[in-house]
Amino acid sequence: MIQYSQEKTRSTLELLRKVWASRKLILKVCGIGAFVGIVVILGTPKEYTASTLIAPESIRRGSSSGMSMLADVADIDMSSSSTTERDAIYPSLYPAIVNSTPFLIRLFDIKVRGQKDSIAITLSQYLRERQRKPWWSVITSAPFRLAGQVISLFGSKSDEDGERVKAKSGINPFRLTRKEAGMAGAIASRINIGVDKKKRTITIFVTMQDPLVAAAVADTVRSHLKEYVTEYRTAKTRKTLEYAEKLRQEAQAAYYEAQEKYTRYADTNQGLVRLASRAELARLRNEMDLALVIYNQTEQQVQAAKTKLEKVRPVYAVIQPVTVPLRASKPRKMMILAGCILLSGAGSVTWILFRRGFERS
């Protein structure tokens, strides 16, 4: 055992002597790695991240306070209870909602304007024309561009006509073109949704190369997300309200018609004492009163539906509003520089320790 430990110590010391003897080579390689890191940093465009923090109101009606608190903290569905309404959209699903195709398509045509721009353009146009790329992307993307040009030469004319017709008729979420799918992916890659289940807060992050554009898109995503959830949660109540308003209009028309018949008959037969006339007048009066009762009931139903609509409408408390970022979030200069130096140093040490094995092979 002692002999094994001594041999292990000798081998370790021998490896350290090899590394120390080649310290100049290691320093040179680390210097090359630092130079590569600086080139990468200078060639990577700056990007800015804007964020907003919101707290959505949780709806737990009809359940006990203790179970409601547990459901909010765990972000689980308590709809199995007979007294609790179902709600299929939870804060944990917000990232999936934002990355969904219909949601991303709505962001194509929003107007944005950079700090140096005087005219607002659409977000899709900004991502196509105003985005700066690293200089090495010209080299890495050359084969793909060449392949795309070759494919376009052999593309059928019918496909091109279909693309033109589709562009004129609008975007079809069911069947996106390659450009539309690529644009949706580009927008999705720049939006990140953070969900804190314990604090029950939602943080929206948007990263763009222009700080003003990042702030504008973050605020738009927040408003669109609120509209999406509001539209879902109020859908059933809005249908109920529309039906109640339809019944009210019908009841109102029936009441006005009964009222007109009664007043016309009363004016025409004024002063007559025949029993038939008085009976007909009483019948018309009863029909008018019954129509009035039904009309009042439908009016109450409309008011109740409006009250419920306001009750189920979700409320979002904006804890931290969107602000234009002042500092760039990317590239992370120190991490890139340190990573390049460490990788080059580790590579040089590995080569020094195992170069005999490589040379023999």
Side-chain angles (χ1 to χ4, degrees):
M1 187 69 181
I2 298 174
Q3 185 177 1
Y4 173 75
S5 61
Q6 290 178 352
E7 291 178 357
K8 187 176 182 180
T9 303
R10 290 175 184 174
S11 62
T12 303
L13 292 175
E14 184 178 355
L15 293 176
L16 292 175
R17 290 193 191 99
K18 289 181 180 180
V19 173
W20 180 253
S22 304
R23 59 186 182 276
K24 293 183 179 180
L25 176 62
I26 297 174
L27 291 175
K28 290 180 180 179
V29 175
C30 289
I32 296 174
F35 177 75
V36 172
I38 293 173
V39 172
V40 171
I41 293 171
L42 295 178
T44 304
K46 292 183 179 180
E47 294 186 350
Y48 300 83
T49 300
S51 63
T52 177
L53 180 63
I54 61 177
E57 179 188 40
S58 60
I59 301 178
R60 306 290 179 188
R61 293 182 289 274
S63 60
S64 61
S65 59
M67 295 300 293
S68 176
M69 184 178 298
L70 290 176
D72 289 337
V73 172
D75 195 25
I76 59 177
D77 186 5
M78 292 293 293
S79 59
S80 58
S81 174
S82 60
T83 58
T84 304
E85 295 187 8
R86 289 186 176 272
D87 191 8
I89 295 181
Y90 299 97
S92 57
L93 292 179
Y94 287 1
I97 294 173
V98 173
N99 290 325
S100 63
T101 301
F103 191 94
L104 293 173
I105 288 176
R106 294 180 61 187
L107 301 177
F108 282 11
D109 296 329
I110 64 172
K111 297 295 183 178
V112 296
R113 186 175 60 184
Q115 289 184 330
K116 298 180 180 180
D117 298 333
S118 57
I119 301 175
I121 58 177
T122 61
L123 179 60
S124 58
Q125 183 180 358
Y126 169 81
L127 292 177
R128 285 195 307 266
E129 301 176 358
R130 304 296 176 85
Q131 290 291 97
R132 300 184 300 274
K133 297 181 180 180
W135 59 266
W136 56 83
S137 64
V138 178
I139 301 174
T140 57
S141 61
F144 300 98
R145 291 201 306 270
L146 181 61
Q149 292 176 358
V150 173
I151 294 174
S152 63
L153 293 177
F154 296 96
S156 61
K157 187 176 180 181
S158 60
D159 294 338
E160 295 178 358
D161 295 339
E163 295 289 338
R164 293 173 183 173
V165 173
K166 192 173 184 180
K168 293 180 180 179
S169 60
I171 299 175
N172 182 11
F174 181 74
R175 190 175 181 181
L176 297 177
T177 64
R178 291 183 179 180
K179 291 183 179 180
E180 293 168 352
M183 182 57 62
I187 295 176
S189 65
R190 296 186 170 275
I191 302 174
N192 185 25
I193 308 296
V195 180
D196 192 335
K197 296 181 180 179
K198 293 183 179 180
K199 296 181 180 179
R200 291 180 291 177
T201 57
I202 309 296
T203 308
I204 301 173
F205 301 95
V206 175
T207 302
M208 294 286 174
Q209 292 184 3
D210 189 281
L212 190 59
V213 174
V217 175
D219 191 63
T220 303
V221 171
R222 178 195 60 79
S223 61
H224 283 8
L225 183 61
K226 179 181 177 182
E227 291 175 2
Y228 184 94
V229 178
T230 300
E231 184 176 358
Y232 162 75
R233 287 187 177 174
T234 60
K236 292 185 291 186
T237 308
R238 282 187 286 107
K239 290 182 180 179
T240 303
L241 177 59
E242 291 176 0
Y243 182 69
E245 289 178 342
K246 180 181 178 182
L247 292 179
R248 182 184 63 177
Q249 292 177 358
E250 294 176 354
Q252 186 182 38
Y255 169 67
Y256 287 163
E257 183 179 358
Q259 187 183 42
E260 184 179 359
K261 288 182 180 179
Y262 171 76
T263 55
R264 187 186 305 115
Y265 188 85
D267 293 339
T268 304
N269 299 275
Q270 188 176 8
L272 297 179
V273 294
R274 291 184 302 175
L275 293 178
S277 299
R278 287 188 290 177
E280 182 66 16
L281 186 63
R283 186 185 68 80
L284 293 175
R285 178 61 183 266
N286 291 334
E287 289 183 357
M288 183 183 67
D289 293 341
L290 180 60
L292 179 60
V293 171
I294 296 175
Y295 174 59
N296 290 332
Q297 290 177 353
T298 56
E299 182 67 28
Q300 292 175 1
Q301 292 175 358
V302 170
Q303 297 302 324
K306 289 182 178 180
T307 302
K308 186 177 181 181
L309 180 62
E310 293 299 325
K311 186 177 180 180
V312 300
R313 191 182 301 275
V315 178
Y316 287 84
V318 181
I319 300 176
Q320 177 61 48
V322 179
T323 57
V324 179
L326 301 177
R327 295 182 180 179
S329 58
K330 295 179 182 180
R332 299 180 179 179
K333 300 179 181 179
M334 296 306 299
M335 291 186 63
I336 295 175
L337 186 60
C340 291
I341 294 175
L342 289 176
L343 287 176
S344 58
S348 61
V349 171
T350 303
W351 170 256
I352 291 169
L353 296 179
F354 301 100
R355 62 183 174 181
R356 290 184 178 180
F358 290 126
E359 290 174 356
R360 290 177 182 177
S361 61

